[in-house]
Amino acid sequence: MTTSGGDADAAYLIARFLRSTHESVTACVFGYCKSTGTLLALGCHEVAIGQRGELGPLDVQISEKDELARFGSGLETVTALNSLAETAFASFESYLVTTVQRSGGQISTKTAAELATNLTVGLVAPISGQIDPIRLGREQRAVEIASAYAERLKVPPLAIARLTTDYPDHGFVIDLTEAREFLNHARDLKPAEQTSRLR
């Protein structure tokens, strides 16, 4: 398999069909195999990953508003939101500590916290105001759908957790070495599988 992704419903149906009609199904990953491609691979009994093979996070692709044939990752807005939250907390902490220290004890912690809150909100509000809550909801739902399908395909919970939260981008490379950290059924391609690709 080599794919940038696609429809999670289709990947789930294909995986279920293959498992119900064959005793053993091996996904041979020769190149990039992202999002729903990863879901389909996870639904197989084995995942054989070649030297250039790579899985990706379970981040179902969502079509971009007002764009033809352009898709964004279901992780993009969540990653931006997490980064914004970290920035807001670091800014608040910095403003609070700096205000208390520079005042030499003349400004109370309560007053410093109020000042720090106002400064942080002033910094973060224009950025957070650009996040579309409807898109955020759609992206979260898409990731939840992929996660629910993975559960039904009996993917280990650790693998689902890692594939839905540990990787910040659709293109993130999960090679064989990394895949083996959470997928017991991941292995290297056998010589016969490598040569069968050339036929």
Side-chain angles (χ1 to χ4, degrees):
M1 289 196 309
T2 300
T3 177
S4 59
D7 186 298
D9 302 332
Y12 174 71
L13 287 171
I14 292 168
R16 292 273 281 205
F17 173 76
L18 291 173
R19 288 176 78 147
S20 69
T21 56
H22 296 78
E23 285 184 24
S24 179
V25 179
T26 301
C28 295
V29 180
F30 295 100
Y32 57 86
C33 185
K34 303 298 182 176
S35 64
T36 55
T38 297
L39 178 63
L40 178 54
L42 293 173
C44 296
H45 298 101
E46 288 185 308
V47 182
I49 303 174
Q51 288 182 336
R52 294 183 183 164
E54 58 184 76
L55 300 175
L58 290 177
D59 66 329
V60 177
Q61 298 290 281
I62 296 171
S63 60
E64 296 279 359
K65 184 179 180 183
D66 296 330
E67 294 286 344
L68 288 176
R70 180 147 189 273
F71 294 87
S73 168
L75 298 173
E76 287 176 355
T77 306
V78 175
T79 301
L81 211 51
N82 290 339
S83 176
L84 191 59
E86 289 173 17
T87 301
F89 180 78
S91 298
F92 173 81
E93 187 177 42
S94 175
Y95 293 145
L96 176 65
V97 171
T98 302
T99 302
V100 170
Q101 286 177 345
R102 289 190 180 173
S103 75
Q106 297 298 311
I107 297 177
S108 70
T109 303
K110 180 184 176 190
T111 303
E114 289 172 1
L115 289 169
T117 298
N118 291 336
L119 288 168
T120 302
V121 168
L123 173 72
V124 172
I127 301 166
S128 64
Q130 295 180 39
I131 295 174
D132 180 358
I134 294 172
R135 180 184 168 98
L136 177 61
R138 281 178 42 218
E139 289 178 0
Q140 277 297 108
R141 194 168 132 260
V143 172
E144 287 169 11
I145 288 168
S147 178
Y149 280 149
E151 283 177 31
R152 284 162 176 77
L153 292 170
K154 306 288 189 254
V155 176
L158 172 63
I160 296 172
R162 289 203 51 183
L163 290 166
T164 55
T165 61
D166 282 10
Y167 302 104
D169 181 66
H170 176 73
F172 202 97
V173 176
I174 302 171
D175 62 9
L176 177 59
T177 302
E178 183 144 358
R180 280 180 167 151
E181 293 176 9
F182 54 87
L183 291 177
N184 294 332
H185 65 305
R187 63 168 176 81
D188 201 352
L189 281 171
K190 296 174 183 174
E193 292 166 338
Q194 292 175 349
T195 56
S196 69
R197 181 182 180 220
L198 302 174
R199 290 184 199 146

